[in-house]
Amino acid sequence: MRFAPPAFLAPPWPNPANSPANLRVGISPAEEGARASVRIHDLAGRLVRTVQDGPLSAGVHTLTWDLHDESGRTVAPGLYLVRAETNRFTTVHRVIVIR
């Protein structure tokens, strides 16, 4: 049996961010085509922005959060949580927004 590397979320960069934050997500071959989500939450747990919600091919994908919320408004400076989830994987990284 061939080993399939797990999915991953690399730390966002730049961090702190005052311009769009890059989010690198890796999808394992075992999860290719399955739903993958990357969402931004505030510290109260409220959803700020959905960056990705749908199937992704196996491999590494670079996504961008433009530091806006779902309504298109620029988010306030502060600490935000980036949550990546697939069928078999969940992780969270922090990103600090500065102005």
Side-chain angles (χ1 to χ4, degrees):
M1 176 180 243
R2 189 171 159 239
F3 173 74
F8 72 87
L9 172 66
W13 82 96
N15 194 7
N18 65 357
S19 61
N22 297 294
L23 312 168
R24 191 171 349 148
V25 179
I27 301 297
S28 70
E31 294 192 293
E32 180 167 24
R35 184 180 150 274
S37 70
V38 178
R39 292 186 168 101
I40 312 298
H41 296 268
D42 64 17
L43 288 180
R46 293 179 295 246
L47 178 65
V48 173
R49 181 78 182 262
T50 299
V51 179
Q52 164 67 35
D53 189 26
L56 285 175
S57 59
V60 178
H61 304 271
T62 301
L63 307 171
T64 303
W65 176 38
D66 60 5
L67 307 185
H68 291 85
D69 65 15
E70 293 284 17
S71 300
R73 293 182 301 254
T74 302
V75 299
L79 181 62
Y80 293 86
L81 304 174
V82 181
R83 180 182 174 97
E85 221 176 327
T86 66
N87 290 339
R88 303 177 188 184
F89 169 82
T90 301
T91 193
V92 176
H93 280 290
R94 295 178 301 238
V95 63
I96 299 168
V97 174
I98 59 174
R99 300 287 175 210

